[in-house]
Amino acid sequence: MKYISKIIYTSREDKMSYVYDKYKSILDTKSILDVGADKGHLRNYLPDTSSYHNIGFGENILQNWNLENIPYPFKDKQFDTVLCLDVLEHLENIHAAFDECLRLAKEHVIISLPSAYQNFWNFLKNGKYMGKSSDMKFYGLPKDPPEDRHRWFLGPSEAYQFIEYRAQLSGFSIEQFDCYTYRPSLFEKIIFKYFFSAQFKESLLTSGTLWFVLVRNR
């Protein structure tokens, strides 16, 4: 793989250290748009040679904007690189929002998406549906309106097909796709084989965050 990092992150801020270490060859000396940036943490890791802008809602967001509202207030190909990390799954207008990221990028788009099926499997194993320790909280129905929720339940294959198809429509190709996959125990393998439907392949339940690098076709 072209883009790799050995950094292990445990928080949202640490995740931006991972992102910069992994993709610095396409972040350094570039103009960058961070769509739905989480408090703009990525800016803390970029060199002075990079031009950083972000859009969305929240703390340290440079341009407040409801990401459901299309188009975004920028020109075509205005930024060298556009990042949209763990954001699309929160948007009802996911197709148009993804297309906007491609419209605004001159060279690269970096996308990350959660693998909801692994969250589901972890819930079955650990028995924690709501609360801080489980990402399945994004799919529940709490008594009070949630601050955030996921609107799409997807796995690696479905995400790849979505990204590949819509990228081609906008003149992009997938340069790299990767995700961390843990090795299931023998007990888990038996469960996968004998108790789950054939559509629940082992990789569907053991794949973590999905990372895509898209490049504009020349």
Side-chain angles (χ1 to χ4, degrees), residues 35 67-72 84 87-104 109 111 113 151-154 158-159 161-170 214:
V35 176
L67 297 178
E68 298 281 10
N69 293 338
I70 306 297
Y72 298 159
C84 190
V87 172
L88 291 174
E89 68 276 8
H90 298 276
L91 303 178
E92 190 67 36
N93 208 5
I94 184 174
H95 299 78
F98 175 75
D99 294 348
E100 273 297 277
C101 292
L102 301 180
R103 179 182 71 82
L104 301 176
V109 176
I111 301 286
L113 294 165
R151 287 166 171 77
W152 306 95
F153 198 94
L154 48 86
E158 188 174 21
Q161 292 173 16
F162 168 83
I163 296 289
E164 181 181 48
Y165 173 74
R166 301 209 67 82
Q168 290 176 350
L169 293 179
S170 296
L214 311 177

Side-chain angles (χ1 to χ4, degrees), residues 3-216:
Y3 307 107
I4 59 174
S5 176
K6 296 182 179 179
I7 292 177
I8 298 175
Y9 57 87
T10 57
S11 69
R12 293 183 176 183
E13 185 172 4
D14 291 344
K15 185 176 183 177
M16 293 304 103
S17 175
Y18 168 87
V19 169
Y20 176 68
D21 184 62
K22 186 175 183 180
Y23 302 114
K24 57 187 174 184
S25 64
I26 54 177
L27 295 177
D28 285 354
T29 69
K30 300 294 184 180
S31 58
I32 297 163
L33 176 65
D34 197 352
V35 176
D38 181 24
K39 298 183 179 180
H41 289 309
L42 179 61
R43 179 170 40 189
N44 299 328
Y45 297 95
L46 295 171
D48 293 337
T49 53
S50 296
S51 173
Y52 177 83
H53 191 77
N54 59 33
I55 185 173
F57 284 135
E59 185 179 345
N60 295 326
I61 297 299
L62 301 174
Q63 188 162 355
N64 287 326
W65 189 269
N66 183 344
L67 297 178
E68 298 281 10
N69 293 338
I70 306 297
Y72 298 159
F74 305 107
K75 299 177 182 178
D76 293 357
K77 302 180 183 178
Q78 184 168 336
F79 302 91
D80 292 320
T81 300
V82 173
L83 299 100
C84 190
L85 308 179
D86 290 352
V87 172
L88 291 174
E89 68 276 8
H90 298 276
L91 303 178
E92 190 67 36
N93 208 5
I94 184 174
H95 299 78
F98 175 75
D99 294 348
E100 273 297 277
C101 292
L102 301 180
R103 179 182 71 82
L104 301 176
K106 181 180 179 181
E107 298 175 3
H108 290 93
V109 176
I110 301 172
I111 301 286
S112 70
L113 294 165
S115 183
Y117 286 93
Q118 187 189 58
N119 294 337
F120 172 68
W121 176 233
N122 287 336
F123 155 62
L124 291 180
K125 290 192 298 180
N126 301 323
K128 297 177 181 178
Y129 183 66
M130 303 290 286
K132 296 181 179 180
S133 61
S134 174
D135 285 340
M136 286 300 291
K137 65 184 179 181
F138 290 117
Y139 299 99
L141 181 61
K143 292 178 290 185
D144 296 315
E147 294 182 0
D148 202 358
R149 63 181 288 264
H150 290 180
R151 287 166 171 77
W152 306 95
F153 198 94
L154 48 86
S157 177
E158 188 174 21
Y160 191 95
Q161 292 173 16
F162 168 83
I163 296 289
E164 181 181 48
Y165 173 74
R166 301 209 67 82
Q168 290 176 350
L169 293 179
S170 296
F172 278 78
S173 300
I174 296 177
E175 183 178 17
Q176 180 172 306
F177 165 68
D178 63 273
C179 64
Y180 170 76
T181 302
Y182 82 88
R183 181 176 297 178
S185 66
L186 177 60
F187 178 68
E188 287 177 311
K189 285 179 174 291
I190 293 173
I191 292 177
F192 295 160
K193 183 176 181 179
Y194 294 104
F195 294 93
F196 281 8
S197 153
Q199 67 177 323
F200 288 99
K201 297 180 180 179
E202 183 177 300
S203 60
L204 187 65
L205 299 170
T206 59
S207 297
T209 299
L210 314 171
W211 294 90
F212 296 86
V213 178
L214 311 177
V215 61
R216 183 177 288 277

